[in-house]
Amino acid sequence: MQSLQEKASEWSGVHTNDAFAIDETNLYEKLGLQTFINLSTNFYNRVYDDEEEWFRSIFANSKKEDAIQNQYEFFVQRMGGPPLYSQRRGHPALIARHRPFPVTRQAAERWLHHMQQALDSTSDIDSDSKIKMMNFFRHTAFFLVAGDELKNQRQAIACKHATEKPSAV
Amino acid sequence: MQSLQEKASEWSGVHTNDAFAIDETNLYEKLGLQTFINLSTNFYNRVYDDEEEWFRSIFANSKKEDAIQNQYEFFVQRMGGPPLYSQRRGHPALIARHRPFPVTRQAAERWLHHMQQALDSTSDIDSDSKIKMMNFFRHTAFFLVAGDELKNQRQAIACKHATEKPSAV
């Protein structure tokens, strides 16, 4: 059976080494906190205004300012900055925290579309950092798609057992 | 509804700030790679030899050397060292990767019992590092118990829908 990162690499087209090339440079020190805040604000402004209702609705139960803070705190922590996310919310636990959402391949591509636009229209992000971040985001998005499929498989198995119970009595 | 980290703090008795005090010092630089390898080896030697069969059996489908490597690579990465875990396996995704296992409160306490013994019998770990690590481990163990209960709740809801389908037809 393929592991989560094998699926993520195959589906995203990004090798794990390229995804985690974000660790070769300290992007937090290079870009600074304000750039991360600007990027996440730019990103979620696009998401919450998306003309695609199916995608916009995924975020309907979250406040935009919370979504922005959760995202930039995670990015800062993961890209060499202070552990802002964990100090406030504990472990990232990326797959578990995305469980309430339908993280399909289509949703991953839409997320990445907005992120590419946000990266391109946020000032002070050099092209090397952009490439590193997009590889990381692309791999991570499909890592979450793999996590989502795992959830669906496991639920189906659990329910199969549950529905079979009556006939076993 | 309580969040994952609120449950983790309440059940473990360790505040999130104390759990993530591991970030105040670079424990990897302080202790070095070999100490982390020794700690995880010591820990899993105890686990795989546990007289409690119910606990030992949780690990029965994993090779001991894999369990050791996964653990010390995660510890090294999380405690200030190189991102060994992610380079090989992608995001830690702690809750999702523990899904196959029954992470009960009893299992968390047994895990912590062995880890305390391992910390106490691995040389070159000073008492301040031990306290920081045990707070982190204790909080994390109950964070995973909270994640496990989430899984059980969600499965029950999904299966309730599944079993209700026939009557809706």
Side-chain angles (χ1 to χ4, degrees), chain A:
Chain A
M1 204 179 71
Q2 271 188 312
S3 65
L4 288 166
Q5 83 277 16
E6 284 166 349
K7 286 183 187 169
S9 293
E10 186 183 320
W11 299 347
S12 67
V14 179
H15 192 277
T16 306
N17 287 349
D18 293 323
F20 291 97
I22 55 159
D23 292 315
E24 289 167 10
T25 316
N26 189 317
L27 290 171
Y28 171 76
E29 284 177 9
K30 193 172 183 184
L31 303 173
L33 176 63
Q34 192 57 50
T35 300
F36 283 99
I37 297 175
N38 294 348
L39 175 64
S40 293
T41 304
N42 189 325
F43 172 77
Y44 276 113
N45 282 342
R46 291 165 191 279
V47 167
Y48 279 76
D49 274 346
D50 193 350
E51 60 192 15
E52 301 276 358
E53 199 271 337
W54 66 270
F55 186 73
R56 201 176 65 236
S57 71
I58 296 173
F59 303 84
N61 291 327
S62 312
K63 279 190 203 161
K64 185 160 80 171
E65 55 268 38
D66 293 342
I68 292 168
Q69 187 182 9
N70 288 340
Q71 188 184 80
Y72 80 70
E73 287 190 352
F74 171 68
F75 288 173
V76 163
Q77 169 167 332
R78 190 59 194 77
M79 299 190 199
L84 301 179
Y85 187 90
S86 290
Q87 282 165 356
R88 197 168 56 87
R89 308 196 75 209
H91 292 283
L94 283 185
I95 292 175
R97 295 195 199 262
H98 282 82
R99 283 190 65 157
F101 309 108
V103 187
T104 61
R105 291 167 191 231
Q106 192 190 15
E109 291 292 3
R110 191 79 193 152
W111 191 102
L112 290 163
H113 164 78
H114 289 304
M115 185 51 82
Q116 182 70 66
Q117 304 257 310
L119 277 167
D120 287 341
S121 59
T122 299
S123 49
D124 301 325
I125 307 183
D126 61 289
S127 65
D128 181 63
S129 300
K130 256 188 233 179
I131 291 167
K132 285 197 168 108
M133 287 165 86
M134 270 314 283
N135 279 336
F136 173 76
F137 293 145
R138 191 164 179 86
H139 189 273
T140 300
F142 284 93
F143 181 86
L144 294 178
V145 174
D148 194 71
E149 296 202 349
L150 199 69
K151 162 185 89 180
N152 297 338
Q153 285 162 16
R154 290 229 172 93
Q155 277 186 351
I157 293 165
C159 296
K160 190 162 175 288
H161 291 312
T163 52
E164 278 171 359
K165 260 186 200 156
S167 63
V169 171

